Amino acid sequence: MLSRVAEAIYWMNRYIERAESNARMLDVNIQVMLDFEMNGERAAHKHWNPIISTLEDHELFAKLYPEMNGDNVVDFVTFQKKNPNSIYSCIAYARENARTVREQISSEMFEILNKLYLFIRSEDARKLFRNSSYEFFNYIVEGSHLFQGTTDATMTHGEGWHFGQAGRFLERADRTSRLLDMKYHVLLPSGEQVGGNVDTVHWMGVLRSCSGLEAYRKLYVDQVAPWKVAKFLITDASFPRSINFCVRELDRAIHRISGLPIGQYQCELEQLSGRLQADLGYVSIDEIFKFGLHQYLDRIQLRLIAIAAALSDEYCDWQVPEVEAEAA
Protein backbone atom coordinates (compact mmCIF):
# COMPACT_ATOMS: atom_id res chain seq x y z
CA MET A 1 0.00 0.00 0.00
CA LEU A 2 1.27 3.48 -0.85
CA SER A 3 2.39 5.55 2.16
CA ARG A 4 0.15 8.39 0.97
CA VAL A 5 -2.90 6.14 1.04
CA ALA A 6 -2.01 4.66 4.44
CA GLU A 7 -1.55 8.14 5.93
CA ALA A 8 -4.85 9.41 4.49
CA ILE A 9 -6.87 6.47 5.85
CA TYR A 10 -5.10 6.68 9.22
CA TRP A 11 -5.85 10.40 9.63
CA MET A 12 -9.38 10.11 8.22
CA ASN A 13 -10.22 7.83 11.14
CA ARG A 14 -8.32 9.92 13.70
CA TYR A 15 -10.15 13.09 12.71
CA ILE A 16 -13.64 11.59 12.82
CA GLU A 17 -12.87 10.06 16.23
CA ARG A 18 -11.60 13.45 17.44
CA ALA A 19 -14.75 15.21 16.24
CA GLU A 20 -16.89 12.70 18.14
CA SER A 21 -14.83 13.09 21.33
CA ASN A 22 -15.12 16.87 21.19
CA ALA A 23 -18.89 16.62 20.72
CA ARG A 24 -19.19 14.29 23.71
CA MET A 25 -17.01 16.48 25.91
CA LEU A 26 -18.89 19.71 25.13
CA ASP A 27 -22.32 18.14 25.49
CA VAL A 28 -21.52 16.73 28.93
CA ASN A 29 -19.90 19.98 30.07
CA ILE A 30 -23.01 21.95 29.07
CA GLN A 31 -25.24 19.44 30.89
CA VAL A 32 -23.08 19.65 34.04
CA MET A 33 -23.23 23.45 33.80
CA LEU A 34 -27.03 23.24 33.92
CA ASP A 35 -26.88 21.16 37.11
CA PHE A 36 -25.15 23.97 39.02
CA GLU A 37 -25.76 27.66 39.28
CA MET A 38 -22.47 29.11 38.09
CA ASN A 39 -22.66 32.85 37.80
CA GLY A 40 -19.90 35.37 37.25
CA GLU A 41 -16.79 35.55 35.14
CA ARG A 42 -14.67 33.63 37.65
CA ALA A 43 -17.10 30.70 37.79
CA ALA A 44 -17.35 30.56 34.00
CA HIS A 45 -13.56 30.58 33.65
CA LYS A 46 -13.24 27.81 36.22
CA HIS A 47 -15.80 25.65 34.45
CA TRP A 48 -14.65 26.11 30.85
CA ASN A 49 -10.90 26.52 31.25
CA PRO A 50 -10.35 22.73 31.72
CA ILE A 51 -11.74 22.16 28.21
CA ILE A 52 -9.08 24.37 26.67
CA SER A 53 -6.42 22.90 29.00
CA THR A 54 -7.36 19.40 27.91
CA LEU A 55 -7.04 20.35 24.25
CA GLU A 56 -3.81 22.33 24.92
CA ASP A 57 -5.08 25.23 22.78
CA HIS A 58 -4.75 28.15 25.22
CA GLU A 59 -2.51 30.24 22.95
CA LEU A 60 -4.76 29.99 19.89
CA PHE A 61 -7.90 30.59 21.96
CA ALA A 62 -6.40 33.75 23.49
CA LYS A 63 -5.64 35.09 19.99
CA LEU A 64 -9.21 34.55 18.76
CA TYR A 65 -11.40 35.42 21.77
CA PRO A 66 -11.30 38.30 24.29
CA GLU A 67 -12.47 36.27 27.31
CA MET A 68 -13.07 32.76 28.60
CA ASN A 69 -16.78 31.99 28.75
CA GLY A 70 -19.14 29.25 27.63
CA ASP A 71 -20.15 30.79 24.31
CA ASN A 72 -16.56 31.42 23.23
CA VAL A 73 -15.25 28.00 24.28
CA VAL A 74 -18.12 26.15 22.58
CA ASP A 75 -17.67 28.19 19.39
CA PHE A 76 -13.89 27.61 19.48
CA VAL A 77 -14.23 23.82 19.82
CA THR A 78 -17.27 23.46 17.53
CA PHE A 79 -17.36 25.91 14.62
CA GLN A 80 -14.03 27.77 14.63
CA LYS A 81 -12.37 27.20 11.25
CA LYS A 82 -9.02 28.57 12.48
CA ASN A 83 -8.88 25.90 15.19
CA PRO A 84 -7.46 22.72 13.55
CA ASN A 85 -8.99 20.62 16.34
CA SER A 86 -12.52 22.01 16.17
CA ILE A 87 -15.37 19.71 15.16
CA TYR A 88 -15.73 21.69 11.93
CA SER A 89 -12.04 21.32 11.05
CA CYS A 90 -11.87 17.63 12.00
CA ILE A 91 -14.83 16.74 9.78
CA ALA A 92 -13.42 18.85 6.94
CA TYR A 93 -9.98 17.16 7.25
CA ALA A 94 -11.56 13.69 7.45
CA ARG A 95 -13.59 14.38 4.32
CA GLU A 96 -10.55 15.77 2.48
CA ASN A 97 -8.48 12.68 3.37
CA ALA A 98 -11.35 10.47 2.19
CA ARG A 99 -11.54 12.42 -1.09
CA THR A 100 -7.87 11.67 -1.86
CA VAL A 101 -8.35 7.90 -1.40
CA ARG A 102 -11.87 7.39 -2.78
CA GLU A 103 -10.67 4.42 -4.81
CA GLN A 104 -9.51 2.70 -1.60
CA ILE A 105 -12.65 3.19 0.50
CA SER A 106 -16.29 2.36 -0.15
CA SER A 107 -18.64 4.89 -1.73
CA GLU A 108 -20.88 4.58 1.35
CA MET A 109 -18.02 5.75 3.61
CA PHE A 110 -17.38 8.83 1.50
CA GLU A 111 -21.08 9.67 1.26
CA ILE A 112 -21.40 9.67 5.06
CA LEU A 113 -18.37 11.93 5.51
CA ASN A 114 -19.54 14.21 2.71
CA LYS A 115 -22.98 14.48 4.30
CA LEU A 116 -21.43 15.37 7.67
CA TYR A 117 -19.19 17.94 5.98
CA LEU A 118 -22.07 19.59 4.12
CA PHE A 119 -24.09 19.67 7.34
CA ILE A 120 -21.39 21.24 9.57
CA ARG A 121 -20.74 24.05 7.06
CA SER A 122 -24.44 24.81 6.53
CA GLU A 123 -26.67 27.27 8.34
CA ASP A 124 -28.82 24.29 9.37
CA ALA A 125 -26.02 23.19 11.71
CA ARG A 126 -25.95 26.52 13.55
CA LYS A 127 -29.75 26.63 13.59
CA LEU A 128 -29.90 23.15 15.14
CA PHE A 129 -27.22 24.12 17.67
CA ARG A 130 -29.14 27.25 18.69
CA ASN A 131 -32.36 25.26 19.12
CA SER A 132 -30.81 22.29 20.95
CA SER A 133 -27.10 21.79 21.54
CA TYR A 134 -27.89 18.25 22.73
CA GLU A 135 -29.45 17.31 19.37
CA PHE A 136 -26.59 18.97 17.51
CA PHE A 137 -23.85 17.07 19.35
CA ASN A 138 -25.89 13.88 19.15
CA TYR A 139 -26.03 14.33 15.36
CA ILE A 140 -22.21 14.49 15.24
CA VAL A 141 -21.82 11.42 17.49
CA GLU A 142 -24.34 9.42 15.47
CA GLY A 143 -22.60 10.45 12.25
CA SER A 144 -19.30 9.16 13.63
CA HIS A 145 -20.90 5.87 14.70
CA LEU A 146 -22.52 5.49 11.28
CA PHE A 147 -19.16 6.05 9.59
CA GLN A 148 -17.39 3.51 11.83
CA GLY A 149 -20.10 0.89 11.36
CA THR A 150 -20.19 1.43 7.61
CA THR A 151 -16.40 1.20 7.47
CA ASP A 152 -16.44 -2.15 9.26
CA ALA A 153 -19.24 -3.46 7.06
CA THR A 154 -18.20 -2.22 3.61
CA MET A 155 -14.39 -1.89 3.55
CA THR A 156 -12.12 -4.86 2.92
CA HIS A 157 -10.36 -5.76 6.16
CA GLY A 158 -6.93 -5.51 4.59
CA GLU A 159 -4.02 -3.14 5.19
CA GLY A 160 -6.10 -0.01 4.71
CA TRP A 161 -8.67 -1.07 7.27
CA HIS A 162 -5.91 -1.87 9.80
CA PHE A 163 -4.41 1.61 9.31
CA GLY A 164 -7.86 2.99 10.00
CA GLN A 165 -8.13 0.89 13.15
CA ALA A 166 -4.73 2.13 14.30
CA GLY A 167 -5.79 5.74 13.83
CA ARG A 168 -9.16 5.25 15.52
CA PHE A 169 -7.85 3.52 18.65
CA LEU A 170 -4.76 5.70 19.03
CA GLU A 171 -6.97 8.80 18.97
CA ARG A 172 -9.53 7.21 21.31
CA ALA A 173 -6.86 6.23 23.87
CA ASP A 174 -5.44 9.75 23.77
CA ARG A 175 -8.89 11.34 24.19
CA THR A 176 -9.86 9.09 27.10
CA SER A 177 -6.63 9.99 28.89
CA ARG A 178 -7.31 13.69 28.30
CA LEU A 179 -10.93 13.50 29.49
CA LEU A 180 -9.81 11.74 32.65
CA ASP A 181 -7.01 14.23 33.12
CA MET A 182 -9.52 17.08 32.71
CA LYS A 183 -10.95 16.16 36.11
CA TYR A 184 -7.51 16.94 37.53
CA HIS A 185 -7.89 20.54 36.34
CA VAL A 186 -11.38 20.94 37.83
CA LEU A 187 -10.94 22.16 41.38
CA LEU A 188 -13.74 21.60 43.85
CA PRO A 189 -15.55 24.68 45.17
CA SER A 190 -14.58 25.71 48.68
CA GLY A 191 -16.53 23.75 51.27
CA GLU A 192 -16.94 20.74 48.98
CA GLN A 193 -15.26 17.46 49.81
CA VAL A 194 -13.71 14.74 47.68
CA GLY A 195 -16.48 12.17 47.26
CA GLY A 196 -19.17 14.79 47.89
CA ASN A 197 -22.10 15.58 45.59
CA VAL A 198 -20.19 18.03 43.37
CA ASP A 199 -17.20 15.72 43.09
CA THR A 200 -19.47 12.78 42.21
CA VAL A 201 -21.24 14.79 39.48
CA HIS A 202 -17.87 15.71 37.96
CA TRP A 203 -16.75 12.07 37.85
CA MET A 204 -20.10 11.02 36.38
CA GLY A 205 -19.54 13.67 33.71
CA VAL A 206 -16.20 12.08 32.84
CA LEU A 207 -17.90 8.69 32.48
CA ARG A 208 -20.70 10.14 30.34
CA SER A 209 -18.14 11.84 28.10
CA CYS A 210 -16.78 8.37 27.34
CA SER A 211 -20.26 6.75 27.14
CA GLY A 212 -19.11 4.70 30.10
CA LEU A 213 -21.63 5.50 32.85
CA GLU A 214 -23.95 2.56 32.10
CA ALA A 215 -21.05 0.13 31.67
CA TYR A 216 -19.53 1.42 34.93
CA ARG A 217 -22.86 0.95 36.76
CA LYS A 218 -23.01 -2.67 35.63
CA LEU A 219 -19.52 -3.31 36.97
CA TYR A 220 -19.66 -1.15 40.12
CA VAL A 221 -23.18 -0.93 41.50
CA ASP A 222 -22.37 1.40 44.38
CA GLN A 223 -21.55 5.12 44.39
CA VAL A 224 -19.25 6.59 41.76
CA ALA A 225 -15.78 6.75 43.31
CA PRO A 226 -12.72 8.48 41.82
CA TRP A 227 -10.36 5.51 42.08
CA LYS A 228 -12.95 3.15 40.55
CA VAL A 229 -13.62 5.51 37.63
CA ALA A 230 -9.87 5.83 37.01
CA LYS A 231 -9.41 2.06 37.20
CA PHE A 232 -12.36 1.51 34.83
CA LEU A 233 -11.20 4.02 32.20
CA ILE A 234 -7.51 3.11 32.36
CA THR A 235 -7.18 -0.63 32.95
CA ASP A 236 -10.52 -2.28 32.05
CA ALA A 237 -9.91 -4.88 29.35
CA SER A 238 -13.45 -5.07 27.93
CA PHE A 239 -14.75 -1.49 27.80
CA PRO A 240 -14.06 -0.19 24.24
CA ARG A 241 -13.07 3.30 25.38
CA SER A 242 -10.70 2.33 28.18
CA ILE A 243 -7.06 3.13 27.50
CA ASN A 244 -6.05 -0.51 27.97
CA PHE A 245 -8.62 -1.76 25.45
CA CYS A 246 -7.68 0.91 22.89
CA VAL A 247 -3.93 0.25 23.16
CA ARG A 248 -4.52 -3.49 22.79
CA GLU A 249 -6.49 -2.91 19.56
CA LEU A 250 -3.85 -0.43 18.40
CA ASP A 251 -1.08 -2.99 18.98
CA ARG A 252 -3.14 -5.65 17.20
CA ALA A 253 -3.66 -3.41 14.16
CA ILE A 254 0.05 -2.56 14.02
CA HIS A 255 1.01 -6.24 14.05
CA ARG A 256 -1.63 -7.11 11.43
CA ILE A 257 -0.04 -4.51 9.15
CA SER A 258 3.49 -5.90 9.56
CA GLY A 259 2.38 -9.55 9.73
CA LEU A 260 4.52 -10.18 12.82
CA PRO A 261 2.87 -12.19 15.65
CA ILE A 262 1.62 -10.17 18.63
CA GLY A 263 4.22 -10.12 21.40
CA GLN A 264 7.15 -9.82 19.01
CA TYR A 265 8.73 -6.73 17.47
CA GLN A 266 11.11 -5.88 14.66
CA CYS A 267 10.81 -2.08 14.65
CA GLU A 268 10.48 0.77 17.15
CA LEU A 269 6.74 1.12 16.47
CA GLU A 270 5.94 -2.47 17.50
CA GLN A 271 8.26 -2.20 20.49
CA LEU A 272 6.60 0.98 21.78
CA SER A 273 3.02 -0.27 21.34
CA GLY A 274 3.77 -3.70 22.79
CA ARG A 275 5.52 -2.24 25.83
CA LEU A 276 2.66 0.18 26.54
CA GLN A 277 0.10 -2.60 26.22
CA ALA A 278 2.05 -4.78 28.65
CA ASP A 279 2.37 -1.95 31.18
CA LEU A 280 -1.38 -1.21 31.05
CA GLY A 281 -2.21 -4.89 31.40
CA TYR A 282 -0.29 -5.29 34.65
CA VAL A 283 -0.45 -1.88 36.37
CA SER A 284 -2.68 -1.59 39.45
CA ILE A 285 -4.78 1.43 40.39
CA ASP A 286 -2.82 1.72 43.66
CA GLU A 287 0.40 2.09 41.69
CA ILE A 288 -1.22 4.73 39.45
CA PHE A 289 -2.41 6.87 42.38
CA LYS A 290 0.90 6.40 44.18
CA PHE A 291 2.67 7.68 41.08
CA GLY A 292 0.11 10.47 40.67
CA LEU A 293 -2.94 10.26 38.37
CA HIS A 294 -2.08 13.42 36.42
CA GLN A 295 1.56 12.41 36.08
CA TYR A 296 0.60 8.91 34.96
CA LEU A 297 -1.88 10.17 32.33
CA ASP A 298 0.63 12.74 31.12
CA ARG A 299 3.17 9.95 30.61
CA ILE A 300 0.56 7.87 28.75
CA GLN A 301 -0.10 10.79 26.39
CA LEU A 302 3.62 11.20 25.71
CA ARG A 303 3.95 7.48 24.94
CA LEU A 304 0.98 7.66 22.55
CA ILE A 305 2.60 10.63 20.82
CA ALA A 306 5.80 8.57 20.46
CA ILE A 307 3.81 5.69 18.94
CA ALA A 308 2.13 8.07 16.48
CA ALA A 309 5.53 9.49 15.47
CA ALA A 310 7.00 5.98 15.04
CA LEU A 311 4.01 4.92 12.91
CA SER A 312 4.47 7.98 10.72
CA ASP A 313 8.20 7.27 10.29
CA GLU A 314 7.61 3.57 9.57
CA TYR A 315 4.73 3.79 7.11
CA CYS A 316 3.72 7.36 6.24
CA ASP A 317 6.99 9.10 5.36
CA TRP A 318 6.28 9.61 1.67
CA GLN A 319 7.85 13.03 1.03
CA VAL A 320 9.70 13.40 -2.27
CA PRO A 321 13.51 13.10 -1.69
CA GLU A 322 15.32 16.43 -1.96
CA VAL A 323 17.59 15.22 -4.79
CA GLU A 324 14.62 14.14 -6.89
CA ALA A 325 12.70 17.30 -6.03
CA GLU A 326 15.61 19.50 -7.14
CA ALA A 327 16.04 17.48 -10.34
CA ALA A 328 12.34 17.83 -11.09
Short mmCIF file of all heavy atoms in Angstrom, two decimals, residues 149-177:
data_model
loop_
_atom_site.label_atom_id
_atom_site.label_comp_id
_atom_site.label_asym_id
_atom_site.label_seq_id
_atom_site.Cartn_x
_atom_site.Cartn_y
_atom_site.Cartn_z
N GLY A 149 -19.38 2.13 11.67
CA GLY A 149 -20.10 0.89 11.36
C GLY A 149 -20.06 0.58 9.87
O GLY A 149 -19.87 -0.58 9.47
N THR A 150 -20.23 1.62 9.06
CA THR A 150 -20.19 1.43 7.61
C THR A 150 -18.80 1.00 7.16
O THR A 150 -18.65 0.17 6.26
CB THR A 150 -20.60 2.74 6.90
OG1 THR A 150 -21.91 3.10 7.33
CG2 THR A 150 -20.61 2.56 5.39
N THR A 151 -17.78 1.58 7.79
CA THR A 151 -16.40 1.20 7.47
C THR A 151 -16.18 -0.29 7.75
O THR A 151 -15.62 -1.02 6.91
CB THR A 151 -15.40 2.03 8.31
OG1 THR A 151 -15.58 3.41 8.00
CG2 THR A 151 -13.97 1.62 8.00
N ASP A 152 -16.62 -0.74 8.91
CA ASP A 152 -16.44 -2.15 9.26
C ASP A 152 -17.22 -3.08 8.33
O ASP A 152 -16.80 -4.21 8.08
CB ASP A 152 -16.89 -2.39 10.71
CG ASP A 152 -15.96 -1.69 11.71
OD1 ASP A 152 -14.85 -1.29 11.30
OD2 ASP A 152 -16.37 -1.53 12.87
N ALA A 153 -18.36 -2.59 7.85
CA ALA A 153 -19.24 -3.46 7.06
C ALA A 153 -18.97 -3.43 5.56
O ALA A 153 -19.35 -4.36 4.85
CB ALA A 153 -20.70 -3.07 7.31
N THR A 154 -18.32 -2.37 5.07
CA THR A 154 -18.20 -2.22 3.61
C THR A 154 -16.76 -2.17 3.10
O THR A 154 -16.55 -2.27 1.89
CB THR A 154 -18.92 -0.95 3.12
OG1 THR A 154 -18.29 0.21 3.71
CG2 THR A 154 -20.39 -0.97 3.52
N MET A 155 -15.79 -2.00 3.99
CA MET A 155 -14.39 -1.89 3.55
C MET A 155 -13.68 -3.22 3.75
O MET A 155 -13.84 -3.87 4.80
CB MET A 155 -13.66 -0.78 4.33
CG MET A 155 -12.25 -0.51 3.84
SD MET A 155 -11.50 0.87 4.76
CE MET A 155 -9.92 0.97 3.93
N THR A 156 -12.90 -3.63 2.78
CA THR A 156 -12.12 -4.86 2.92
C THR A 156 -11.19 -4.76 4.13
O THR A 156 -10.50 -3.75 4.30
CB THR A 156 -11.26 -5.09 1.66
OG1 THR A 156 -12.13 -5.13 0.52
CG2 THR A 156 -10.50 -6.40 1.77
N HIS A 157 -11.19 -5.80 4.95
CA HIS A 157 -10.36 -5.76 6.16
C HIS A 157 -8.91 -6.14 5.83
O HIS A 157 -8.36 -7.12 6.35
CB HIS A 157 -10.95 -6.68 7.24
CG HIS A 157 -12.21 -6.14 7.84
ND1 HIS A 157 -12.64 -6.47 9.10
CD2 HIS A 157 -13.11 -5.24 7.36
CE1 HIS A 157 -13.78 -5.83 9.35
NE2 HIS A 157 -14.09 -5.07 8.31
N GLY A 158 -8.32 -5.33 4.97
CA GLY A 158 -6.93 -5.51 4.59
C GLY A 158 -6.06 -4.46 5.27
O GLY A 158 -6.40 -3.94 6.33
N GLU A 159 -4.96 -4.10 4.61
CA GLU A 159 -4.02 -3.14 5.19
C GLU A 159 -4.68 -1.81 5.49
O GLU A 159 -4.46 -1.21 6.54
CB GLU A 159 -2.83 -2.93 4.25
CG GLU A 159 -1.71 -3.92 4.42
CD GLU A 159 -0.48 -3.50 3.63
OE1 GLU A 159 -0.64 -2.84 2.59
OE2 GLU A 159 0.64 -3.84 4.05
N GLY A 160 -5.46 -1.31 4.52
CA GLY A 160 -6.10 -0.01 4.71
C GLY A 160 -6.99 0.03 5.94
O GLY A 160 -6.96 0.97 6.71
N TRP A 161 -7.78 -1.01 6.12
CA TRP A 161 -8.67 -1.07 7.27
C TRP A 161 -7.87 -1.09 8.58
O TRP A 161 -8.24 -0.43 9.56
CB TRP A 161 -9.54 -2.33 7.18
CG TRP A 161 -10.61 -2.39 8.23
CD1 TRP A 161 -11.80 -1.73 8.24
CD2 TRP A 161 -10.58 -3.17 9.42
NE1 TRP A 161 -12.52 -2.05 9.37
CE2 TRP A 161 -11.80 -2.94 10.11
CE3 TRP A 161 -9.65 -4.06 9.98
CZ2 TRP A 161 -12.10 -3.55 11.32
CZ3 TRP A 161 -9.95 -4.67 11.18
CH2 TRP A 161 -11.16 -4.41 11.85
N HIS A 162 -6.74 -1.81 8.58
CA HIS A 162 -5.91 -1.87 9.80
C HIS A 162 -5.28 -0.51 10.10
O HIS A 162 -5.13 -0.13 11.27
CB HIS A 162 -4.82 -2.94 9.65
CG HIS A 162 -5.38 -4.33 9.63
ND1 HIS A 162 -6.19 -4.83 10.61
CD2 HIS A 162 -5.23 -5.34 8.72
CE1 HIS A 162 -6.54 -6.07 10.33
NE2 HIS A 162 -5.98 -6.41 9.18
N PHE A 163 -4.91 0.24 9.06
CA PHE A 163 -4.41 1.61 9.31
C PHE A 163 -5.52 2.47 9.91
O PHE A 163 -5.27 3.31 10.78
CB PHE A 163 -3.88 2.22 8.01
CG PHE A 163 -2.46 1.88 7.71
CD1 PHE A 163 -2.14 1.02 6.66
CD2 PHE A 163 -1.43 2.40 8.48
CE1 PHE A 163 -0.82 0.68 6.39
CE2 PHE A 163 -0.09 2.07 8.21
CZ PHE A 163 0.21 1.21 7.16
N GLY A 164 -6.73 2.26 9.42
CA GLY A 164 -7.86 2.99 10.00
C GLY A 164 -8.09 2.63 11.45
O GLY A 164 -8.34 3.49 12.29
N GLN A 165 -7.98 1.34 11.77
CA GLN A 165 -8.13 0.89 13.15
C GLN A 165 -7.05 1.51 14.05
O GLN A 165 -7.31 1.92 15.18
CB GLN A 165 -8.04 -0.63 13.21
CG GLN A 165 -9.24 -1.36 12.63
CD GLN A 165 -10.47 -1.23 13.51
OE1 GLN A 165 -11.32 -0.38 13.27
NE2 GLN A 165 -10.56 -2.07 14.52
N ALA A 166 -5.83 1.54 13.53
CA ALA A 166 -4.73 2.13 14.30
C ALA A 166 -5.01 3.59 14.61
O ALA A 166 -4.82 4.06 15.74
CB ALA A 166 -3.41 1.98 13.54
N GLY A 167 -5.48 4.33 13.61
CA GLY A 167 -5.79 5.74 13.83
C GLY A 167 -6.93 5.93 14.80
O GLY A 167 -6.88 6.78 15.69
N ARG A 168 -7.99 5.12 14.66
CA ARG A 168 -9.16 5.25 15.52
C ARG A 168 -8.81 4.98 16.99
O ARG A 168 -9.14 5.77 17.87
CB ARG A 168 -10.25 4.27 15.08
CG ARG A 168 -11.48 4.27 15.97
CD ARG A 168 -12.41 3.11 15.65
NE ARG A 168 -12.82 3.12 14.24
CZ ARG A 168 -13.57 2.16 13.69
NH1 ARG A 168 -13.97 1.14 14.43
NH2 ARG A 168 -13.92 2.23 12.43
N PHE A 169 -8.10 3.88 17.25
CA PHE A 169 -7.85 3.52 18.65
C PHE A 169 -6.72 4.34 19.28
O PHE A 169 -6.71 4.55 20.49
CB PHE A 169 -7.57 2.02 18.76
CG PHE A 169 -8.82 1.20 18.64
CD1 PHE A 169 -9.09 0.48 17.48
CD2 PHE A 169 -9.76 1.18 19.65
CE1 PHE A 169 -10.26 -0.25 17.36
CE2 PHE A 169 -10.93 0.46 19.54
CZ PHE A 169 -11.19 -0.26 18.39
N LEU A 170 -5.77 4.81 18.47
CA LEU A 170 -4.76 5.70 19.03
C LEU A 170 -5.40 7.01 19.48
O LEU A 170 -5.13 7.52 20.56
CB LEU A 170 -3.65 5.95 18.01
CG LEU A 170 -2.37 6.58 18.55
CD1 LEU A 170 -1.17 6.13 17.72
CD2 LEU A 170 -2.42 8.09 18.57
N GLU A 171 -6.28 7.55 18.62
CA GLU A 171 -6.97 8.80 18.97
C GLU A 171 -7.88 8.59 20.17
O GLU A 171 -7.96 9.44 21.06
CB GLU A 171 -7.78 9.27 17.76
CG GLU A 171 -8.50 10.60 17.97
CD GLU A 171 -7.54 11.77 18.08
OE1 GLU A 171 -6.43 11.69 17.51
OE2 GLU A 171 -7.90 12.77 18.74
N ARG A 172 -8.59 7.46 20.21
CA ARG A 172 -9.53 7.21 21.31
C ARG A 172 -8.79 7.07 22.63
O ARG A 172 -9.25 7.56 23.66
CB ARG A 172 -10.35 5.95 21.01
CG ARG A 172 -11.50 5.73 21.98
CD ARG A 172 -12.31 4.52 21.60
NE ARG A 172 -13.04 4.70 20.34
CZ ARG A 172 -13.80 3.76 19.78
NH1 ARG A 172 -13.91 2.57 20.37
NH2 ARG A 172 -14.45 4.01 18.65
N ALA A 173 -7.65 6.36 22.64
CA ALA A 173 -6.86 6.23 23.87
C ALA A 173 -6.39 7.59 24.35
O ALA A 173 -6.44 7.90 25.55
CB ALA A 173 -5.67 5.30 23.63
N ASP A 174 -5.91 8.40 23.42
CA ASP A 174 -5.44 9.75 23.77
C ASP A 174 -6.57 10.59 24.35
O ASP A 174 -6.40 11.28 25.36
CB ASP A 174 -4.85 10.42 22.53
CG ASP A 174 -4.35 11.82 22.82
OD1 ASP A 174 -3.28 11.94 23.45
OD2 ASP A 174 -5.04 12.80 22.44
N ARG A 175 -7.75 10.52 23.74
CA ARG A 175 -8.89 11.34 24.19
C ARG A 175 -9.40 10.88 25.55
O ARG A 175 -9.78 11.69 26.39
CB ARG A 175 -10.00 11.28 23.15
CG ARG A 175 -9.67 12.07 21.91
CD ARG A 175 -9.70 13.55 22.19
NE ARG A 175 -8.85 14.29 21.27
CZ ARG A 175 -8.95 15.59 21.08
NH1 ARG A 175 -9.84 16.30 21.75
NH2 ARG A 175 -8.13 16.21 20.26
N THR A 176 -9.43 9.57 25.78
CA THR A 176 -9.86 9.09 27.10
C THR A 176 -8.90 9.56 28.18
O THR A 176 -9.33 9.99 29.26
CB THR A 176 -9.94 7.55 27.10
OG1 THR A 176 -10.91 7.12 26.15
CG2 THR A 176 -10.33 7.03 28.47
N SER A 177 -7.61 9.52 27.90
CA SER A 177 -6.63 9.99 28.89
C SER A 177 -6.80 11.48 29.15
O SER A 177 -6.68 11.94 30.29
CB SER A 177 -5.21 9.69 28.42
OG SER A 177 -4.85 10.53 27.32
#
